[in-house]
Amino acid sequence: MREWVKNELVEGTVNSADTAFADLMQTLAGKATDALWNASVLASAAVQNGDVCTTLPSVSAVTGNKVIPALRSVLRSSGMVQAPELPVTLPLILDTSDRLYLARYWKAEHDLAVALQALFVNTTHLQNKLPSTELLDQLFPPQANQDDPDWQRVATVVAARQRLCVITGGPGTGKTRTVARLLAVLQLQAAESRRVALLAPTGKAAARLLESLRAEVASLKQQGMELELPDDAFTLHRALGYNPGQSGFRHNADNPLPYDLVLVDEASMVDLAMMNSLVSALATETRLILLGDRDQLASVEAGNVLGDIVGEASPDRYSAELRAALTDTCHDFKVVGTQQQTGGIADAVVELQHSYRFDARSGIGHFARAVNAGDADLSCAIGADDTYRDLEFINPQQSTLNNQLLQQAVPAAIKVIESKDIEKALTASLTYRVLCALYTGPRGVEQVNRFIESRLVRLGHIQPNKIWYPGRPILITRNDPGTGLYNGDTGLIWPDDTGHMMAWFADGESGAKAVAPGRLPAHQTCYAMTVHKTQGSEFTNLLLVLPEAPHSMLSRDLLYTGITRAKESVEIYASAESIRTAVETKRVRASGLRDRLWDGG
Protein backbone atom coordinates (compact mmCIF):
# COMPACT_ATOMS: atom_id res chain seq x y z
CA MET A 1 0.00 0.00 0.00
CA ARG A 2 2.73 2.47 0.96
CA GLU A 3 4.61 2.05 -2.28
CA TRP A 4 1.36 2.57 -4.18
CA VAL A 5 0.90 5.96 -2.56
CA LYS A 6 4.49 7.01 -3.12
CA ASN A 7 4.64 5.99 -6.74
CA GLU A 8 1.17 6.50 -8.15
CA LEU A 9 0.01 9.87 -6.81
CA VAL A 10 0.56 12.88 -9.07
CA GLU A 11 4.20 13.86 -8.96
CA GLY A 12 4.86 16.68 -6.54
CA THR A 13 1.80 16.14 -4.35
CA VAL A 14 3.60 13.99 -1.78
CA ASN A 15 7.05 14.77 -0.39
CA SER A 16 9.42 13.31 2.16
CA ALA A 17 7.92 15.39 4.98
CA ASP A 18 4.53 13.81 4.33
CA THR A 19 5.88 10.27 4.42
CA ALA A 20 8.00 11.08 7.51
CA PHE A 21 4.86 12.28 9.28
CA ALA A 22 3.08 9.07 8.30
CA ASP A 23 6.00 7.02 9.60
CA LEU A 24 5.78 8.87 12.91
CA MET A 25 2.05 8.16 13.15
CA GLN A 26 2.76 4.47 12.62
CA THR A 27 5.40 4.53 15.36
CA LEU A 28 3.14 6.28 17.87
CA ALA A 29 -0.07 4.44 16.97
CA GLY A 30 -1.54 1.93 19.32
CA LYS A 31 -2.52 -0.04 16.23
CA ALA A 32 -0.41 0.61 13.11
CA THR A 33 -2.09 -0.07 9.77
CA ASP A 34 -1.49 0.72 6.12
CA ALA A 35 -4.75 2.65 6.17
CA LEU A 36 -3.41 4.97 8.90
CA TRP A 37 -0.13 5.43 7.03
CA ASN A 38 -1.85 6.33 3.76
CA ALA A 39 -4.37 8.59 5.50
CA SER A 40 -1.56 10.40 7.33
CA VAL A 41 0.36 10.92 4.10
CA LEU A 42 -2.68 12.40 2.38
CA ALA A 43 -3.65 14.62 5.32
CA SER A 44 -0.14 16.08 5.38
CA ALA A 45 0.13 16.36 1.59
CA ALA A 46 -3.26 18.07 1.38
CA VAL A 47 -1.92 21.08 3.26
CA GLN A 48 1.13 21.31 0.99
CA ASN A 49 -1.22 21.38 -2.01
CA GLY A 50 -3.55 24.09 -0.73
CA ASP A 51 -6.29 21.97 0.85
CA VAL A 52 -7.07 22.26 4.54
CA CYS A 53 -7.88 18.57 4.85
CA THR A 54 -8.27 15.35 2.91
CA THR A 55 -11.38 13.18 2.77
CA LEU A 56 -12.01 9.54 3.46
CA PRO A 57 -13.11 8.92 -0.17
CA SER A 58 -9.68 10.24 -1.23
CA VAL A 59 -7.98 7.93 1.23
CA SER A 60 -10.16 5.04 0.09
CA ALA A 61 -9.14 5.63 -3.51
CA VAL A 62 -5.49 4.89 -2.73
CA THR A 63 -5.89 2.23 -0.04
CA GLY A 64 -8.24 0.10 -2.08
CA ASN A 65 -10.55 -0.05 0.94
CA LYS A 66 -13.88 0.85 -0.66
CA VAL A 67 -15.91 0.52 2.55
CA ILE A 68 -15.83 3.96 4.14
CA PRO A 69 -17.34 2.89 7.50
CA ALA A 70 -14.63 0.25 7.86
CA LEU A 71 -11.92 2.78 7.03
CA ARG A 72 -13.41 5.22 9.50
CA SER A 73 -13.37 2.55 12.22
CA VAL A 74 -9.73 1.64 11.52
CA LEU A 75 -8.58 5.26 11.81
CA ARG A 76 -10.53 5.96 14.99
CA SER A 77 -9.13 2.86 16.67
CA SER A 78 -5.52 3.77 15.82
CA GLY A 79 -5.01 6.05 18.81
CA MET A 80 -3.86 8.89 16.49
CA VAL A 81 -7.27 10.18 15.34
CA GLN A 82 -9.83 11.99 17.47
CA ALA A 83 -13.32 13.38 17.01
CA PRO A 84 -13.78 17.09 16.23
CA GLU A 85 -13.83 18.48 19.75
CA LEU A 86 -11.82 20.57 22.15
CA PRO A 87 -9.34 20.11 23.66
CA VAL A 88 -7.25 18.78 20.79
CA THR A 89 -5.07 15.99 22.13
CA LEU A 90 -4.28 13.88 19.06
CA PRO A 91 -2.45 14.78 15.81
CA LEU A 92 -5.34 13.96 13.43
CA ILE A 93 -9.01 15.00 13.49
CA LEU A 94 -11.78 13.13 11.66
CA ASP A 95 -15.05 15.07 11.52
CA THR A 96 -18.60 13.85 10.93
CA SER A 97 -18.37 14.69 7.22
CA ASP A 98 -15.39 12.31 6.81
CA ARG A 99 -12.87 15.16 6.50
CA LEU A 100 -9.46 14.25 7.92
CA TYR A 101 -7.32 17.13 9.24
CA LEU A 102 -3.94 17.73 10.73
CA ALA A 103 -5.00 18.86 14.21
CA ARG A 104 -3.69 22.43 14.03
CA TYR A 105 -5.54 23.08 10.76
CA TRP A 106 -8.79 21.74 12.19
CA LYS A 107 -8.36 24.06 15.18
CA ALA A 108 -7.52 27.05 12.96
CA GLU A 109 -10.63 26.41 10.88
CA HIS A 110 -12.79 25.92 13.98
CA ASP A 111 -11.46 29.05 15.70
CA LEU A 112 -11.82 31.20 12.58
CA ALA A 113 -15.42 30.12 12.02
CA VAL A 114 -16.33 30.85 15.65
CA ALA A 115 -14.60 34.25 15.53
CA LEU A 116 -16.24 35.29 12.25
CA GLN A 117 -19.68 34.32 13.52
CA ALA A 118 -19.05 36.26 16.72
CA LEU A 119 -17.92 39.26 14.67
CA PHE A 120 -21.14 39.18 12.73
CA VAL A 121 -23.50 38.53 15.64
CA ASN A 122 -21.89 40.80 18.23
CA THR A 123 -22.87 44.23 16.89
CA THR A 124 -25.44 45.53 19.37
CA HIS A 125 -22.89 47.36 21.53
CA LEU A 126 -21.79 49.47 18.56
CA GLN A 127 -25.13 51.32 18.61
CA ASN A 128 -24.95 51.62 14.84
CA LYS A 129 -27.40 53.72 12.99
CA LEU A 130 -27.93 53.62 9.26
CA PRO A 131 -26.40 56.43 7.21
CA SER A 132 -28.91 59.01 6.07
CA THR A 133 -30.32 58.93 2.59
CA GLU A 134 -29.07 62.49 2.08
CA LEU A 135 -25.49 61.51 2.87
CA LEU A 136 -25.69 58.43 0.69
CA ASP A 137 -27.11 60.50 -2.18
CA GLN A 138 -24.13 62.83 -1.87
CA LEU A 139 -21.64 59.95 -1.94
CA PHE A 140 -23.54 57.80 -4.47
CA PRO A 141 -25.68 60.10 -6.63
CA PRO A 142 -28.68 58.22 -8.07
CA GLN A 143 -28.25 57.45 -11.76
CA ALA A 144 -30.99 58.05 -14.31
CA ASN A 145 -32.53 54.89 -15.79
CA GLN A 146 -30.76 52.72 -13.23
CA ASP A 147 -32.53 49.37 -13.08
CA ASP A 148 -30.20 47.56 -10.68
CA PRO A 149 -29.28 48.70 -7.17
CA ASP A 150 -26.08 50.67 -6.68
CA TRP A 151 -24.12 47.80 -5.10
CA GLN A 152 -21.41 50.16 -3.88
CA ARG A 153 -24.10 51.97 -1.90
CA VAL A 154 -25.49 48.67 -0.65
CA ALA A 155 -22.03 47.63 0.55
CA THR A 156 -21.65 50.91 2.44
CA VAL A 157 -24.92 50.40 4.29
CA VAL A 158 -24.13 46.78 5.10
CA ALA A 159 -20.70 47.68 6.46
CA ALA A 160 -22.04 50.61 8.47
CA ARG A 161 -24.56 48.50 10.38
CA GLN A 162 -22.30 45.67 11.60
CA ARG A 163 -18.77 44.64 12.56
CA LEU A 164 -18.14 42.26 9.64
CA CYS A 165 -18.52 43.03 5.95
CA VAL A 166 -17.08 41.17 2.97
CA ILE A 167 -17.04 43.13 -0.29
CA THR A 168 -16.23 41.03 -3.34
CA GLY A 169 -16.10 41.93 -6.99
CA GLY A 170 -14.04 41.67 -10.13
CA PRO A 171 -11.53 44.24 -11.41
CA GLY A 172 -12.95 47.68 -12.01
CA THR A 173 -16.10 47.15 -9.94
CA GLY A 174 -15.15 49.96 -7.57
CA LYS A 175 -14.06 48.20 -4.39
CA THR A 176 -11.66 51.01 -3.45
CA ARG A 177 -14.19 53.72 -4.31
CA THR A 178 -16.72 51.97 -2.10
CA VAL A 179 -14.29 51.74 0.81
CA ALA A 180 -13.35 55.43 0.62
CA ARG A 181 -17.00 56.41 0.85
CA LEU A 182 -17.66 53.87 3.57
CA LEU A 183 -14.80 55.34 5.60
CA ALA A 184 -16.32 58.78 5.10
CA VAL A 185 -19.67 57.52 6.45
CA LEU A 186 -18.08 55.89 9.49
CA GLN A 187 -15.97 58.97 10.15
CA LEU A 188 -19.03 61.22 10.15
CA GLN A 189 -20.93 58.81 12.41
CA ALA A 190 -18.12 58.48 14.95
CA ALA A 191 -18.04 60.67 18.04
CA GLU A 192 -14.25 60.62 17.95
CA SER A 193 -11.49 59.91 15.45
CA ARG A 194 -11.35 56.29 14.35
CA ARG A 195 -8.12 54.34 14.30
CA VAL A 196 -8.03 52.62 10.91
CA ALA A 197 -5.60 49.94 9.71
CA LEU A 198 -5.16 49.45 5.96
CA LEU A 199 -3.74 45.98 5.37
CA ALA A 200 -2.90 43.64 2.49
CA PRO A 201 -1.04 40.34 2.10
CA THR A 202 1.94 41.94 0.29
CA GLY A 203 3.73 45.27 0.48
CA LYS A 204 2.93 45.86 -3.17
CA ALA A 205 -0.80 45.39 -2.59
CA ALA A 206 -0.68 47.56 0.54
CA ALA A 207 1.02 50.40 -1.36
CA ARG A 208 -1.53 50.14 -4.15
CA LEU A 209 -4.41 50.23 -1.68
CA LEU A 210 -3.11 53.40 -0.03
CA GLU A 211 -2.39 55.09 -3.36
CA SER A 212 -5.88 54.24 -4.69
CA LEU A 213 -7.59 55.45 -1.52
CA ARG A 214 -5.68 58.73 -1.64
CA ALA A 215 -6.94 59.31 -5.16
CA GLU A 216 -10.50 58.70 -3.95
CA VAL A 217 -9.98 61.05 -1.00
CA ALA A 218 -8.89 63.77 -3.41
CA SER A 219 -12.09 63.18 -5.39
CA LEU A 220 -14.21 63.44 -2.23
CA LYS A 221 -12.43 66.64 -1.27
CA GLN A 222 -13.54 68.20 -4.54
CA GLN A 223 -17.09 67.41 -3.43
CA GLY A 224 -16.52 69.29 -0.17
CA MET A 225 -16.02 66.20 2.00
CA GLU A 226 -12.91 65.71 4.11
CA LEU A 227 -11.65 62.20 4.89
CA GLU A 228 -8.70 61.30 7.08
CA LEU A 229 -6.59 58.33 6.03
CA PRO A 230 -3.77 56.59 7.87
CA ASP A 231 -0.28 57.67 6.86
CA ASP A 232 0.67 54.16 5.81
CA ALA A 233 -0.69 50.78 4.79
CA PHE A 234 0.88 47.59 6.12
CA THR A 235 1.30 43.97 5.26
CA LEU A 236 -0.56 41.56 7.50
CA HIS A 237 2.76 40.24 8.80
CA ARG A 238 3.94 43.71 9.74
CA ALA A 239 0.66 44.72 11.39
CA LEU A 240 0.51 41.56 13.50
CA GLY A 241 4.14 41.82 14.49
CA TYR A 242 5.81 39.00 12.62
CA ASN A 243 9.12 37.88 14.10
CA PRO A 244 10.86 35.00 12.31
CA GLY A 245 12.76 34.15 15.49
CA GLN A 246 9.61 33.57 17.53
CA SER A 247 6.50 31.45 17.18
CA GLY A 248 3.27 33.31 16.51
CA PHE A 249 2.69 37.05 16.26
CA ARG A 250 3.10 39.86 18.78
CA HIS A 251 -0.57 40.82 18.41
CA ASN A 252 -3.04 38.09 19.36
CA ALA A 253 -6.11 37.55 21.53
CA ASP A 254 -4.15 38.60 24.64
CA ASN A 255 -2.59 41.61 22.92
CA PRO A 256 -5.12 42.78 20.30
CA LEU A 257 -4.51 45.20 17.47
CA PRO A 258 -5.06 48.85 18.52
CA TYR A 259 -7.59 49.72 15.81
CA ASP A 260 -11.29 50.49 15.56
CA LEU A 261 -11.48 49.29 11.96
CA VAL A 262 -9.28 46.82 10.08
CA LEU A 263 -9.54 46.79 6.30
CA VAL A 264 -7.89 43.94 4.37
CA ASP A 265 -7.51 44.25 0.61
CA GLU A 266 -6.76 41.32 -1.74
CA ALA A 267 -8.33 38.98 0.81
CA SER A 268 -8.36 36.07 -1.68
CA MET A 269 -4.61 35.81 -1.10
CA VAL A 270 -4.96 35.29 2.67
CA ASP A 271 -4.61 31.68 3.80
CA LEU A 272 -6.43 29.98 6.65
CA ALA A 273 -3.66 30.28 9.24
CA MET A 274 -3.06 33.98 8.53
CA MET A 275 -6.76 34.88 8.53
CA ASN A 276 -7.20 33.07 11.82
CA SER A 277 -4.25 34.96 13.31
CA LEU A 278 -5.71 38.27 12.13
CA VAL A 279 -9.28 37.71 13.33
CA SER A 280 -8.12 36.37 16.69
CA ALA A 281 -6.10 39.59 17.17
CA LEU A 282 -9.11 41.91 16.75
CA ALA A 283 -10.27 43.85 19.80
CA THR A 284 -13.83 43.47 21.08
CA GLU A 285 -15.25 46.46 19.20
CA THR A 286 -13.09 46.37 16.08
CA ARG A 287 -14.79 46.24 12.69
CA LEU A 288 -13.41 44.00 9.94
CA ILE A 289 -13.87 44.69 6.25
CA LEU A 290 -12.53 42.18 3.72
CA LEU A 291 -12.07 43.19 0.08
CA GLY A 292 -11.29 40.79 -2.70
CA ASP A 293 -12.28 38.91 -5.81
CA ARG A 294 -13.63 35.47 -4.96
CA ASP A 295 -12.92 34.22 -8.50
CA GLN A 296 -9.18 34.81 -8.25
CA LEU A 297 -6.64 32.16 -7.39
CA ALA A 298 -6.78 31.15 -3.76
CA SER A 299 -3.83 31.65 -1.43
CA VAL A 300 -0.60 29.78 -2.05
CA GLU A 301 -0.86 28.28 1.45
CA ALA A 302 -3.72 26.09 2.67
CA GLY A 303 -7.28 27.33 2.39
CA ASN A 304 -9.65 29.30 0.20
CA VAL A 305 -10.89 31.55 2.97
CA LEU A 306 -12.51 34.32 0.95
CA GLY A 307 -14.26 31.83 -1.31
CA ASP A 308 -15.51 29.87 1.70
CA ILE A 309 -16.80 32.98 3.46
CA VAL A 310 -18.59 34.25 0.35
CA GLY A 311 -20.00 30.76 -0.19
CA GLU A 312 -23.35 30.89 -1.95
CA ALA A 313 -23.94 34.52 -1.02
CA SER A 314 -26.71 36.31 -2.86
CA PRO A 315 -29.05 39.22 -2.07
CA ASP A 316 -31.82 36.63 -2.35
CA ARG A 317 -30.56 35.22 0.94
CA TYR A 318 -30.50 38.47 2.90
CA SER A 319 -32.54 38.48 6.09
CA ALA A 320 -35.78 40.44 6.37
CA GLU A 321 -34.02 42.92 8.69
CA LEU A 322 -31.27 43.67 6.19
CA ARG A 323 -33.71 43.90 3.30
CA ALA A 324 -35.72 46.47 5.26
CA ALA A 325 -32.57 48.50 6.00
CA LEU A 326 -31.55 48.48 2.35
CA THR A 327 -35.04 49.36 1.18
CA ASP A 328 -34.94 52.43 3.45
CA THR A 329 -31.50 53.61 2.31
CA CYS A 330 -30.85 52.36 -1.23
CA HIS A 331 -32.88 53.48 -4.22
CA ASP A 332 -34.39 50.70 -6.30
CA PHE A 333 -33.20 47.96 -3.98
CA LYS A 334 -35.26 44.88 -4.61
CA VAL A 335 -34.68 41.17 -4.45
CA VAL A 336 -35.99 38.96 -7.19
CA GLY A 337 -35.46 35.27 -6.57
CA THR A 338 -36.80 32.13 -5.03
CA GLN A 339 -34.07 31.32 -2.57
CA GLN A 340 -35.10 31.12 1.05
CA GLN A 341 -33.88 33.89 3.29
CA THR A 342 -31.04 32.57 5.42
CA GLY A 343 -29.52 35.68 6.99
CA GLY A 344 -26.48 34.83 9.09
CA ILE A 345 -23.21 35.16 7.22
CA ALA A 346 -25.14 35.92 4.01
CA ASP A 347 -25.98 39.34 5.48
CA ALA A 348 -22.27 40.17 5.67
CA VAL A 349 -21.47 39.66 1.96
CA VAL A 350 -21.97 42.11 -0.90
CA GLU A 351 -20.86 41.47 -4.46
CA LEU A 352 -20.14 44.50 -6.65
CA GLN A 353 -21.49 43.52 -10.04
CA HIS A 354 -20.83 46.35 -12.49
CA SER A 355 -17.34 46.73 -14.00
CA TYR A 356 -16.35 50.29 -14.81
CA ARG A 357 -13.07 49.17 -16.37
CA PHE A 358 -14.34 46.66 -18.91
CA ASP A 359 -17.29 47.98 -20.90
CA ALA A 360 -19.43 46.29 -23.55
CA ARG A 361 -16.62 46.68 -26.10
CA SER A 362 -14.04 45.00 -23.91
CA GLY A 363 -12.91 41.56 -24.95
CA ILE A 364 -11.19 41.12 -21.57
CA GLY A 365 -14.45 41.75 -19.73
CA HIS A 366 -16.49 39.40 -21.92
CA PHE A 367 -13.79 36.76 -21.80
CA ALA A 368 -13.48 36.97 -18.00
CA ARG A 369 -17.23 36.48 -17.56
CA ALA A 370 -17.25 33.51 -19.95
CA VAL A 371 -14.29 31.95 -18.12
CA ASN A 372 -15.99 32.30 -14.73
CA ALA A 373 -19.15 30.79 -16.17
CA GLY A 374 -17.15 27.78 -17.34
CA ASP A 375 -18.29 28.33 -20.94
CA ALA A 376 -15.37 27.08 -23.04
CA ASP A 377 -17.16 27.51 -26.37
CA LEU A 378 -17.97 31.16 -25.70
CA SER A 379 -14.50 31.82 -24.29
CA CYS A 380 -12.83 30.52 -27.44
CA ALA A 381 -15.29 32.39 -29.67
CA ILE A 382 -14.51 35.68 -27.89
CA GLY A 383 -10.78 35.11 -28.32
CA ALA A 384 -11.25 34.48 -32.04
CA ASP A 385 -13.39 37.62 -32.52
CA ASP A 386 -11.27 40.32 -34.17
CA THR A 387 -13.66 43.07 -33.07
CA TYR A 388 -12.23 42.88 -29.55
CA ARG A 389 -9.00 44.85 -29.82
CA ASP A 390 -7.91 44.34 -26.22
CA LEU A 391 -7.75 40.53 -26.35
CA GLU A 392 -5.76 38.28 -28.69
CA PHE A 393 -5.00 34.57 -28.75
CA ILE A 394 -1.52 33.66 -30.04
CA ASN A 395 -1.41 30.12 -31.41
CA PRO A 396 1.93 28.48 -30.49
CA GLN A 397 1.87 26.63 -33.81
CA GLN A 398 1.95 29.93 -35.68
CA SER A 399 4.42 31.95 -33.61
CA THR A 400 7.27 31.04 -31.29
CA LEU A 401 7.32 32.43 -27.78
CA ASN A 402 10.65 34.14 -28.48
CA ASN A 403 9.08 36.04 -31.38
CA GLN A 404 6.33 37.30 -29.10
CA LEU A 405 8.87 38.41 -26.52
CA LEU A 406 10.85 40.29 -29.18
CA GLN A 407 7.77 42.17 -30.30
CA GLN A 408 6.60 43.43 -26.91
CA ALA A 409 8.59 42.37 -23.83
CA VAL A 410 12.06 43.38 -25.00
CA PRO A 411 11.02 46.87 -26.22
CA ALA A 412 9.14 47.38 -22.94
CA ALA A 413 12.28 46.49 -20.96
CA ILE A 414 14.32 48.94 -23.03
CA LYS A 415 11.86 51.76 -22.24
CA VAL A 416 12.37 51.12 -18.54
CA ILE A 417 16.16 51.16 -18.89
CA GLU A 418 16.02 54.42 -20.86
CA SER A 419 13.78 56.19 -18.30
CA LYS A 420 15.09 59.50 -16.92
CA ASP A 421 14.63 58.76 -13.20
CA ILE A 422 13.47 56.03 -10.84
CA GLU A 423 9.89 57.30 -10.54
CA LYS A 424 9.46 57.21 -14.32
CA ALA A 425 11.21 53.84 -14.48
CA LEU A 426 8.87 52.33 -11.88
CA THR A 427 5.88 53.67 -13.78
CA ALA A 428 7.23 52.32 -17.07
CA SER A 429 7.81 48.91 -15.50
CA LEU A 430 4.05 48.55 -14.97
CA THR A 431 3.14 49.09 -18.62
CA TYR A 432 4.04 45.55 -19.70
CA ARG A 433 4.65 42.20 -18.03
CA VAL A 434 4.86 38.55 -19.02
CA LEU A 435 2.84 36.18 -16.83
CA CYS A 436 3.46 32.44 -16.88
CA ALA A 437 1.56 29.55 -15.38
CA LEU A 438 4.84 27.70 -14.75
CA TYR A 439 8.18 28.66 -13.24
CA THR A 440 10.36 26.15 -15.09
CA GLY A 441 10.32 24.67 -18.59
CA PRO A 442 10.27 26.19 -22.09
CA ARG A 443 7.19 28.32 -21.27
CA GLY A 444 8.22 29.10 -17.72
CA VAL A 445 9.39 32.21 -15.89
CA GLU A 446 13.04 31.15 -15.77
CA GLN A 447 13.28 30.66 -19.54
CA VAL A 448 11.49 33.93 -20.36
CA ASN A 449 13.68 35.96 -17.99
CA ARG A 450 16.81 34.35 -19.38
CA PHE A 451 15.80 35.10 -22.97
CA ILE A 452 14.94 38.76 -22.31
CA GLU A 453 18.18 39.38 -20.41
CA SER A 454 20.28 37.72 -23.11
CA ARG A 455 18.59 39.82 -25.79
CA LEU A 456 19.22 43.02 -23.80
CA VAL A 457 22.88 42.03 -23.55
CA ARG A 458 23.05 41.39 -27.29
CA LEU A 459 21.46 44.78 -27.99
CA GLY A 460 23.94 46.52 -25.70
CA HIS A 461 21.49 47.71 -23.07
CA ILE A 462 23.10 45.74 -20.22
CA GLN A 463 26.66 44.55 -19.77
CA PRO A 464 27.40 40.81 -19.93
CA ASN A 465 27.48 39.05 -16.55
CA LYS A 466 26.30 42.23 -14.80
CA ILE A 467 23.90 41.42 -11.96
CA TRP A 468 23.04 44.91 -10.68
CA TYR A 469 22.14 46.86 -13.79
CA PRO A 470 19.73 49.80 -14.20
CA GLY A 471 16.20 48.68 -15.02
CA ARG A 472 16.50 45.13 -13.73
CA PRO A 473 13.07 44.20 -12.30
CA ILE A 474 13.18 42.15 -9.12
CA LEU A 475 10.63 40.14 -7.15
CA ILE A 476 11.01 39.54 -3.41
CA THR A 477 10.41 35.90 -2.51
CA ARG A 478 10.85 35.93 1.28
CA ASN A 479 9.45 38.10 4.07
CA ASP A 480 11.96 40.42 5.75
CA PRO A 481 10.56 42.77 8.43
CA GLY A 482 13.99 44.39 8.80
CA THR A 483 13.79 45.97 5.36
CA GLY A 484 10.00 46.16 5.25
CA LEU A 485 10.00 43.92 2.18
CA TYR A 486 7.71 40.93 1.85
CA ASN A 487 7.11 38.01 -0.45
CA GLY A 488 5.52 39.32 -3.66
CA ASP A 489 6.92 42.87 -3.55
CA THR A 490 8.39 44.09 -6.84
CA GLY A 491 11.00 46.76 -7.50
CA LEU A 492 13.76 47.95 -9.82
CA ILE A 493 17.51 48.23 -9.67
CA TRP A 494 18.47 51.85 -10.30
CA PRO A 495 21.34 54.18 -9.37
CA ASP A 496 20.92 56.70 -6.56
CA ASP A 497 22.16 60.28 -6.75
CA THR A 498 25.74 59.14 -6.14
CA GLY A 499 25.63 56.50 -8.87
CA HIS A 500 25.45 53.53 -6.51
CA MET A 501 23.02 50.82 -7.56
CA MET A 502 20.08 50.43 -5.22
CA ALA A 503 16.85 48.42 -5.21
CA TRP A 504 13.86 50.77 -5.39
CA PHE A 505 10.28 50.03 -4.38
CA ALA A 506 7.14 52.13 -4.71
CA ASP A 507 6.24 53.64 -1.32
CA GLY A 508 2.53 54.25 -1.90
CA GLU A 509 3.02 58.02 -2.05
CA SER A 510 4.00 58.34 -5.72
CA GLY A 511 7.60 58.03 -4.61
CA ALA A 512 10.13 55.28 -4.05
CA LYS A 513 12.23 53.92 -1.21
CA ALA A 514 15.72 52.50 -1.69
CA VAL A 515 17.28 49.38 -0.21
CA ALA A 516 20.94 48.46 -0.66
CA PRO A 517 21.28 45.31 -2.79
CA GLY A 518 23.26 43.61 -0.04
CA ARG A 519 20.31 43.95 2.33
CA LEU A 520 17.75 42.43 -0.01
CA PRO A 521 16.02 39.24 1.15
CA ALA A 522 15.71 36.33 -1.31
CA HIS A 523 14.68 37.68 -4.70
CA GLN A 524 14.72 36.98 -8.43
CA THR A 525 14.58 38.78 -11.77
CA CYS A 526 11.00 39.30 -12.93
CA TYR A 527 10.54 40.40 -16.51
CA ALA A 528 8.21 37.44 -16.22
CA MET A 529 6.30 36.31 -13.12
CA THR A 530 4.06 33.40 -12.27
CA VAL A 531 0.37 34.26 -12.20
CA HIS A 532 0.31 33.43 -8.48
CA LYS A 533 2.87 36.14 -7.76
CA THR A 534 0.94 38.84 -9.64
CA GLN A 535 -2.13 38.87 -7.40
CA GLY A 536 -2.57 42.40 -6.12
CA SER A 537 -0.84 43.79 -9.23
CA GLU A 538 -2.06 45.63 -12.30
CA PHE A 539 -0.25 46.08 -15.60
CA THR A 540 -1.31 48.14 -18.57
CA ASN A 541 -0.62 45.34 -21.06
CA LEU A 542 0.50 41.76 -20.60
CA LEU A 543 1.33 38.47 -22.27
CA LEU A 544 -0.10 35.39 -20.55
CA VAL A 545 1.79 32.18 -21.33
CA LEU A 546 0.05 28.86 -20.70
CA PRO A 547 1.42 25.30 -20.94
CA GLU A 548 0.12 22.83 -23.48
CA ALA A 549 -2.86 20.72 -22.43
CA PRO A 550 -3.24 18.49 -20.57
CA HIS A 551 -1.44 20.07 -17.60
CA SER A 552 -2.27 20.18 -13.89
CA MET A 553 -1.72 23.96 -13.73
CA LEU A 554 -4.45 24.76 -16.25
CA SER A 555 -7.49 25.94 -14.35
CA ARG A 556 -10.30 28.46 -14.51
CA ASP A 557 -9.08 30.57 -11.59
CA LEU A 558 -5.54 30.78 -12.96
CA LEU A 559 -6.76 31.92 -16.38
CA TYR A 560 -9.15 34.46 -14.86
CA THR A 561 -6.54 35.83 -12.47
CA GLY A 562 -3.99 36.17 -15.26
CA ILE A 563 -6.16 38.08 -17.73
CA THR A 564 -7.64 40.42 -15.12
CA ARG A 565 -4.20 41.74 -14.13
CA ALA A 566 -4.37 43.82 -17.34
CA LYS A 567 -5.98 47.24 -17.61
CA GLU A 568 -5.85 47.68 -21.40
CA SER A 569 -4.79 44.59 -23.35
CA VAL A 570 -3.97 40.89 -23.03
CA GLU A 571 -2.27 38.47 -25.39
CA ILE A 572 -2.69 34.80 -24.47
CA TYR A 573 0.00 32.50 -25.79
CA ALA A 574 -1.81 29.18 -25.78
CA SER A 575 -3.60 26.70 -27.99
CA ALA A 576 -7.38 26.61 -28.08
CA GLU A 577 -7.17 23.21 -26.37
CA SER A 578 -5.21 24.69 -23.45
CA ILE A 579 -7.68 27.52 -23.05
CA ARG A 580 -10.60 25.13 -23.25
CA THR A 581 -9.01 22.85 -20.65
CA ALA A 582 -8.40 25.79 -18.31
CA VAL A 583 -11.98 27.06 -18.60
CA GLU A 584 -13.44 23.63 -17.97
CA THR A 585 -11.24 22.90 -14.94
CA LYS A 586 -12.60 24.34 -11.72
CA ARG A 587 -10.49 23.67 -8.66
CA VAL A 588 -12.24 23.20 -5.34
CA ARG A 589 -10.10 23.12 -2.23
CA ALA A 590 -11.06 20.66 0.48
CA SER A 591 -12.18 22.57 3.56
CA GLY A 592 -14.92 22.59 6.16
CA LEU A 593 -15.05 26.36 6.65
CA ARG A 594 -17.86 26.95 4.18
CA ASP A 595 -20.05 24.34 5.87
CA ARG A 596 -19.31 25.82 9.29
CA LEU A 597 -20.28 29.33 8.22
CA TRP A 598 -23.24 28.51 6.01
CA ASP A 599 -24.69 25.29 7.39
CA GLY A 600 -23.33 25.16 10.91
CA GLY A 601 -21.34 22.04 9.91
Side-chain angles (χ1 to χ4, degrees), residues 2 13 120 134 142 215 251-252 259 279 322 352 410 440 482 499 561-562:
R2 300 185 193 180
T13 61
F120 178 74
E134 292 75 19
H251 288 289
N252 49 44
Y259 301 110
V279 175
L322 178 55
L352 306 183
V410 173
T440 59
T561 302

Side-chain angles (χ1 to χ4, degrees), residues 415-425 494:
K415 286 183 179 179
V416 174
I417 292 171
E418 294 179 343
S419 298
K420 293 182 178 180
D421 54 49
I422 181 56
E423 286 79 12
K424 289 184 174 59
W494 199 264

Side-chain angles (χ1 to χ4, degrees), residues 156-171:
T156 299
V157 174
V158 169
R161 71 187 290 272
Q162 58 203 39
R163 290 181 62 205
L164 174 64
C165 182
V166 182
I167 303 174
T168 183

Side-chain angles (χ1 to χ4, degrees), residues 315-390:
D316 297 353
R317 306 184 74 157
Y318 286 168
S319 67
E321 293 79 7
L322 178 55
R323 293 184 189 205
L326 294 175
T327 300
D328 290 342
T329 54
C330 299
H331 300 291
D332 300 321
F333 178 80
K334 56 185 179 296
V335 175
V336 178
T338 58
Q339 291 193 43
Q340 183 179 0
Q341 297 175 18
T342 56
I345 198 70
D347 279 8
V349 181
V350 181
E351 181 175 7
L352 306 183
Q353 300 176 22
H354 178 74
S355 176
Y356 298 89
R357 181 188 302 174
F358 303 129
D359 59 22
R361 297 167 294 176
S362 169
I364 298 175
H366 284 293
F367 185 69
R369 286 188 289 274
V371 169
N372 278 338
D375 192 331
D377 290 337
L378 180 58
S379 298
C380 291
I382 292 170
D385 191 336
D386 293 337
T387 61
Y388 296 121
R389 297 180 178 269
D390 60 341

